[in-house]
Amino acid sequence: TWAALEHQHKQFAAAMARDVPPGTRVWGWKEPQAIYTLPFLHALYPRLHVIHCVRDGRDVAMSNLNSSSLRTAQKYQLHYVQTITGQQFSATQLRMPAYSHAAARVWAAVNVNAKSWLTQQGYAAQGRYLVSRLEDYCTPETLRASIRKLLAHVGVAAEESTVERA
């Protein structure tokens, strides 16, 4: 039920918050699956800020073809791909182009829909929505610049020690 889900999520958030050092103004968590629950998170946390980290869809599709086994993230992805497309894929089909094409279509739809929903809810206009690229976190130079941008977005001074800790 909604009440049970809300209770569990609030317990989870409270447990995470206990690990946040006293005096910390801003904290968050990285959860790729949160993109599927934005309306729920919005209802629970009306002052929520969203950092939407987008991975190149071609990399997403290729990771399906290059994987030798179903990892946890892929199991989630398979569930969403099958649910959203209405297509069923066997374990052997997961390395086939048809699955990669379906996963790419779902990736595009989910990201476009998330951005559209967040914009409609006023997140962008209120400065509570930032889009970043996963690839910008992959080299030391772009990583530091991306961390500075992220910190500025949430109102934290980007001192060098803060950037290095992040």
Side-chain angles (χ1 to χ4, degrees), residues 34-91:
I35 197 167
Y36 299 104
T37 61
L38 289 171
F40 172 75
L41 295 171
H42 172 75
L44 280 181
Y45 309 105
R47 294 179 18 224
L48 178 74
H49 284 245
V50 176
I51 311 296
H52 185 174
C53 186
V54 180
R55 182 177 180 194
D56 186 313
R58 295 167 295 188
D59 289 338
V60 174
M62 287 306 296
S63 72
N64 293 321
L65 292 175
N66 293 330
S67 178
S68 60
S69 66
L70 267 180
R71 297 172 301 203
T72 301
Q74 287 176 306
K75 288 178 187 177
Y76 281 118
Q77 184 187 56
L78 174 61
H79 168 76
Y80 294 121
V81 167
Q82 291 183 149
T83 300
I84 293 170
T85 65
Q87 296 175 267
Q88 296 298 307
F89 295 93
S90 68

Side-chain angles (χ1 to χ4, degrees), residues 49-166:
H49 284 245
V50 176
I51 311 296
H52 185 174
C53 186
V54 180
R55 182 177 180 194
D56 186 313
R58 295 167 295 188
D59 289 338
V60 174
M62 287 306 296
S63 72
N64 293 321
L65 292 175
N66 293 330
S67 178
S68 60
S69 66
L70 267 180
R71 297 172 301 203
T72 301
Q74 287 176 306
K75 288 178 187 177
Y76 281 118
Q77 184 187 56
L78 174 61
H79 168 76
Y80 294 121
V81 167
Q82 291 183 149
T83 300
I84 293 170
T85 65
Q87 296 175 267
Q88 296 298 307
F89 295 93
S90 68
T92 56
Q93 291 175 306
L94 298 181
R95 296 182 59 137
M96 306 297 280
Y99 177 73
S100 291
H101 292 159
R105 285 192 310 275
V106 168
W107 169 89
V110 166
N111 280 283
V112 167
N113 289 342
K115 183 176 183 177
S116 175
W117 187 86
L118 288 160
T119 300
Q120 289 170 3
Q121 297 302 313
Y123 278 76
Q126 297 165 13
R128 297 186 300 136
Y129 177 51
L130 175 68
V131 177
S132 66
R133 297 173 346 115
L134 177 66
E135 294 76 19
D136 291 341
Y137 296 90
C138 295
T139 67
E141 298 78 26
T142 57
L143 172 63
R144 287 183 186 90
S146 295
I147 289 172
R148 284 186 187 91
K149 184 177 178 182
L150 191 147
L151 291 171
H153 174 75
V154 295
V156 174
E159 298 168 8
E160 199 55 36
S161 62
T162 305
V163 172
E164 290 302 316
R165 267 195 328 270

